[in-house]
């Protein structure tokens, strides 16, 4: 980190923001345009969710989270907007409103937590103890 500070100070054309990878900036921006929608009816589908939120701006994606085994809705989903302003307007207007007979709550989506990369933690039975 100290090396980075010295490099930025020594070269006036460099800044911290120019050293941040563009993919990181895009992913951060994506979080402010993606909304979490909870309290959904089990009868709400992706198309219905998209239609409900499209009156506040251009919906890029609307996705209901489903159970892998039963393929039923888990009662929440995500809506991604084209801009931060549209997402903020939808959050303000839709939070606490009824959709398909259920009161929904809307918030900004949080980043996904990484829980080990998908590899199982179990390593098998313990090694047998050796008699000495």
């Amino acid at each position: 980190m100290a090396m980075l500070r010295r490099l930025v100070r020594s070269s006036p054309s460099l800044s911290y923001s120019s050293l941040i990878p563009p993919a990181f900036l895009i992913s951060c921006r994506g979080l402010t345009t993606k909304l979490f929608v909870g309290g959904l009816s089990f009868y709400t589908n992706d198309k219905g969710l998209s239609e409900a939120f499209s009156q506040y701006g251009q919906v890029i994606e609307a996705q209901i989270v489903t159970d892998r085994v039963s393929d039923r809705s888990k009662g929440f989903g995500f809506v991604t907007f084209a801009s931060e302003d549209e997402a903020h307007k939808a959050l303000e207007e839709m939070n606490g409103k009824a959709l398909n007979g259920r009161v929904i709550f809307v918030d900004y989506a949080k980043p996904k937590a990484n829980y080990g990369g998908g590899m199982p933690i179990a390593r098998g039975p313990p090694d047998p103890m050796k008699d000495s």
Side-chain angles (χ1 to χ4, degrees), residues 114-125:
N114 186 3
Y115 293 111
M119 290 296 292
I121 296 173
R123 290 166 180 56

Side-chain angles (χ1 to χ4, degrees), residues 73-86:
S73 168
K74 287 189 172 187
F76 67 93
F78 297 93
V79 179
T80 306
F81 282 91
S83 76
E84 294 177 30
D85 294 334
E86 293 170 347

Side-chain angles (χ1 to χ4, degrees), residues 31 109-113:
L31 289 177
K110 310 274 189 295
K112 266 187 179 177

